[in-house]
Amino acid sequence: MISFRADARAKNLAGIDRRKKLFQKLLNDQFRYKVYAMYRDLNRVSPQFSGDYVSNWELVTSSTSPRGYQEWKNKGSVLVSQQPKHAGDSDAVDFSLRRMYRVKLDYRDKVYFYNPTPVEFTATTATGPDGKTTALRPENILSPPQLLFSYLKANYGK
Amino acid sequence: MTNYYEQTRIDVATQVQAIVTAWTTYPLVVELDNDDAVDQATQTNPYLQVEIRDINGDQADLSHNPLVKQTGQIRLVVVVKQGSGTRRANELLDFIRPYFDLKEFTLVRCHAAEKFPQVKRNGQVFFPLVINYWYHRLSN
């Protein structure tokens, strides 16, 4: 009788352990899904000229350290060498996303979105494809990181 | 409803029109709808620029005609001449905010308005007010 109880108890404990692991896996999946979605939005909406700014977005966790600024180099692709680029152009975004998938995420980690690019958003005019230079609309002069983080806060913050 | 993108513009344009009508201190000039209504060099009174940015659309359920959650930002920027003080900009921002802050229109639903620090460029100062919005639409 005693041995039967011990056996049942061991089985129960194993079951609890299994469920705990399953729960942790679900938490991890959900956490990863949210963080990846935020990071993708951040990359897709960030402004681009050379692609340098977007290619330097980095997902940093409490257990990894940032790699620091690295210039976005042309890799021989025609698309890569075209300037100016536009928000969402895929070369720099893909480059940044490939690095994102290499980061191992755990739901207990603290996660940071980090961009060390030495860029100052001071442009007030832009030259179009026709060669004409026009004044930027006021909303294009606003700080992109502020707008992006406001968007992330509103949509993922709760 | 099928004209979701145009309805977004109508929702915002209706509010902007209400602001223009109700603002009596001076004739309020507004840049909306991708137009160039304002000559920045000759404009003396504060003016308002409005931009709607759709940012993301995500499938929200698994039915045959799933819901899609569309999100974006309404960016309102009050522009004043540099050196003319912040009073006129703040007055206009205070007037505009209640028209969007946590409001629900025909389609669009707004988060709380966020005021960002002003930006100075080329003799002008830009005072941004950003409203994140969302709506649900059916895929069809």
Side-chain angles (χ1 to χ4, degrees), chain A residues 121 139 147 150-151 153, chain B residues 53 55 71 73 114 121 132:
Chain A
F121 298 100
E139 67 110 8
L147 295 169
S150 158
Y151 173 79
K153 194 175 67 178
Chain B
R53 285 287 177 102
I55 294 182
T71 53
Q73 277 180 343
E114 287 182 84
R121 296 275 190 285
N132 288 281

Side-chain angles (χ1 to χ4, degrees), chain A residues 38-59:
Chain A
M38 288 168 82
Y39 189 81
R40 268 197 301 269
D41 274 2
L42 202 58
N43 277 272
R44 212 165 39 81
V45 185
S46 288
Q48 292 194 35
F49 181 79
S50 65
D52 212 22
Y53 179 65
V54 169
S55 70
N56 271 287
W57 272 118
E58 202 172 345
L59 188 58

Side-chain angles (χ1 to χ4, degrees), chain A residues 6-21:
Chain A
D7 191 37
R9 192 154 177 253
K11 270 188 185 166
N12 268 346
L13 284 175
I16 289 169
D17 206 36
R18 235 187 353 262
R19 267 171 283 184
K20 194 175 151 196
K21 276 185 183 152

Side-chain angles (χ1 to χ4, degrees), chain B residues 2-134:
Chain B
T2 52
N3 55 341
Y4 295 99
Y5 309 129
E6 174 58 5
Q7 186 59 46
T8 309
R9 190 196 65 79
I10 291 171
D11 279 354
V12 175
T14 307
Q15 290 306 100
V16 170
Q17 195 51 52
I19 291 167
V20 171
T21 310
W23 179 259
T24 51
T25 315
Y26 49 84
L28 182 61
V29 183
V30 180
E31 262 189 8
L32 175 73
D33 286 353
N34 193 27
D35 63 2
D36 285 323
V38 178
D39 181 355
Q40 293 182 5
T42 58
Q43 179 71 21
T44 50
N45 281 326
Y47 72 93
L48 176 66
Q49 197 243 339
V50 183
E51 187 81 16
I52 304 164
R53 285 287 177 102
D54 286 319
I55 294 182
N56 203 359
D58 267 339
Q59 184 175 337
D61 71 16
L62 293 171
S63 61
H64 285 300
N65 293 316
L67 275 175
V68 176
K69 186 185 181 190
Q70 180 75 43
T71 53
Q73 277 180 343
I74 303 164
R75 297 175 184 172
L76 306 159
V77 187
V78 170
V79 187
V80 298
K81 288 272 178 208
Q82 192 168 342
S84 63
T86 55
R87 181 182 59 82
R88 297 179 86 195
N90 283 337
E91 281 172 356
L92 187 50
L93 285 170
D94 280 334
F95 188 81
I96 291 167
R97 186 189 47 75
Y99 285 85
F100 289 95
D101 205 16
L102 296 170
K103 286 283 185 295
E104 185 177 341
F105 310 128
T106 309
L107 175 68
V108 170
R109 304 172 78 182
C110 298
H111 287 275
E114 287 182 84
K115 183 177 180 289
F116 289 154
Q118 61 265 38
V119 182
K120 292 176 189 167
R121 296 275 190 285
N122 282 0
Q124 291 177 313
V125 190
F126 305 93
F127 292 79
L129 191 68
V130 175
I131 298 109
N132 288 281
Y133 72 84
W134 83 100

Side-chain angles (χ1 to χ4, degrees), chain A residues 60-130:
Chain A
V60 183
T61 70
S62 40
S63 49
T64 60
S65 49
R67 64 173 197 147
Y69 170 68
Q70 286 180 23
E71 194 186 345
W72 165 238
K73 299 215 174 76
N74 292 354
K75 304 285 183 194
S77 147
V78 176
L79 280 173
V80 169
S81 58
Q82 272 175 359
Q83 288 182 351
K85 295 174 180 303
H86 303 281
D89 277 359
S90 59
D91 285 309
V93 173
D94 288 350
F95 181 79
S96 173
L97 290 185
R98 274 200 299 276
R99 282 210 321 278
M100 171 192 84
Y101 287 119
R102 286 205 288 268
V103 178
K104 215 171 169 213
L105 284 177
D106 185 275
Y107 72 96
R108 286 161 292 203
D109 279 337
K110 279 183 183 159
V111 173
Y112 308 89
F113 300 124
Y114 180 66
N115 195 329
T117 314
V119 60
E120 233 186 317
F121 298 100
T122 53
T124 51
T125 57
T127 307
D130 54 358

